[in-house]
Amino acid sequence: KDGFLSKVTTVRMSKLTRMVDVLDILRRQLVRVPQGTDPDAGQFGDAAEFGCKLTALDVQLFPTLTLDFLRENKDNPNLLKEIETGFNTRLTTDLVDLGFNGIADDAAGADRAAKFIRLNKGWLQIMRDAGNTPKINIDPATDGWIASLRTIMDASDTRFRSSSVFLMNEADADEYARELNAPITGTAMNADSPLRRFEGKPIEAHPDMPRGSVAFTPLKNLVYGVST
């Protein structure tokens, strides 16, 4: 089961569109005003407002089971539960896949795979389209992952650096670990492993993240909307 959606921000939507507002209280707001004097315009606390607009688009999952399958499993008392769990798991993993790889929202394409990645724009495509999101080119094959991650961190917005993680493809994260000259054993690495960190910042590795791409961001900046 893919637990990635539990790490991002989930927004329940009662309508097909919703504004998501974020308030950021800026640093160094303390001032000194003599007693009995009102603060002037430059002494009031300042806040920055950020946000985005979520638009829910229809998607469907149409389960199909053959009659032969049902006959062969008619004596399984847990069959209904297993089928329900299986399709719910597929729904979740497809949504995460679309979150990483979605490039458009017109559902156009020559085949099913091409249409899938155009069901809705994913997080990475939204970052690519955003004019105020820092973007740099990296070449890990030439420069290595250590230098590439350092370049990404140096280019990041210092306001959000302390809460950001490196979002990477799992295979790319393993290549970074090999650069550290640390053997990769058969034991799965977890978030506490030093091989899943760069200069103290966590590396969130996921197999659906496109190879060669990295996002350095707080995971809560990734928003997932559900229309109910």
Side-chain angles (χ1 to χ4, degrees):
K1 185 176 179 179
D2 196 319
F4 186 78
L5 288 181
S6 66
K7 301 177 182 180
V8 306
T9 298
T10 298
V11 176
R12 301 288 176 182
M13 305 168 60
S14 58
K15 299 186 296 183
L16 294 181
T17 60
R18 175 174 169 174
M19 295 301 301
V20 179
D21 298 315
V22 179
L23 184 67
D24 182 29
I25 307 300
L26 303 181
R27 299 177 60 221
R28 298 186 174 182
Q29 297 293 304
L30 296 178
V31 296
R32 177 174 291 127
V33 177
Q35 187 172 359
T37 303
D38 293 331
D40 60 35
Q43 292 173 318
F44 284 105
D46 201 2
E49 295 182 35
F50 305 92
C52 63
K53 181 180 180 180
L54 290 182
T55 301
L57 300 175
D58 289 339
V59 293
Q60 297 88 24
L61 175 65
F62 297 107
T64 302
L65 297 172
T66 66
L67 186 58
D68 287 342
F69 173 84
L70 295 176
R71 287 171 176 167
E72 292 171 357
N73 292 274
K74 61 184 176 62
D75 296 324
N76 181 359
N78 298 316
L79 179 61
L80 183 60
K81 182 178 180 180
E82 291 174 359
I83 292 173
E84 182 180 6
T85 299
F87 279 112
N88 282 337
T89 298
R90 175 52 56 202
L91 174 63
T92 300
T93 55
D94 271 6
L95 288 173
V96 174
D97 184 357
L98 189 61
F100 284 122
N101 297 294
I103 60 173
D105 58 10
D106 56 13
D111 53 31
R112 188 167 184 165
K115 292 177 181 178
F116 175 81
I117 60 173
R118 300 182 72 91
L119 288 173
N120 211 338
K121 288 186 179 182
W123 299 304
L124 296 187
Q125 188 61 47
I126 292 172
M127 294 179 195
R128 296 184 190 106
D129 294 343
N132 59 350
T133 300
K135 307 172 188 69
I136 59 171
N137 294 321
I138 59 173
D139 184 6
T142 301
D143 304 325
W145 276 110
I146 294 175
S148 296
L149 295 184
R150 183 179 297 116
T151 300
I152 292 170
M153 180 182 286
D154 290 345
S156 66
D157 192 321
T158 57
R159 294 176 298 170
F160 312 115
R161 189 175 294 176
S162 62
S163 58
S164 292
V165 306
F166 289 97
L167 190 54
M168 301 175 61
N169 177 274
E170 193 170 55
D172 289 341
D174 289 343
E175 288 187 7
Y176 161 72
R178 293 188 184 98
E179 283 188 32
L180 298 179
N181 295 319
I184 297 179
T185 66
T187 303
M189 285 177 283
N190 56 40
D192 296 326
S193 169
L195 304 181
R196 285 291 188 255
R197 304 185 78 84
F198 176 78
E199 295 185 358
K201 302 302 180 186
I203 293 175
E204 181 72 29
H206 196 283
D208 285 335
M209 180 72 175
R211 290 292 305 267
S213 296
V214 179
F216 186 57
T217 179
L219 286 177
K220 292 303 180 182
N221 274 4
L222 308 182
V223 180
Y224 162 63
V226 182
S227 179
T228 57

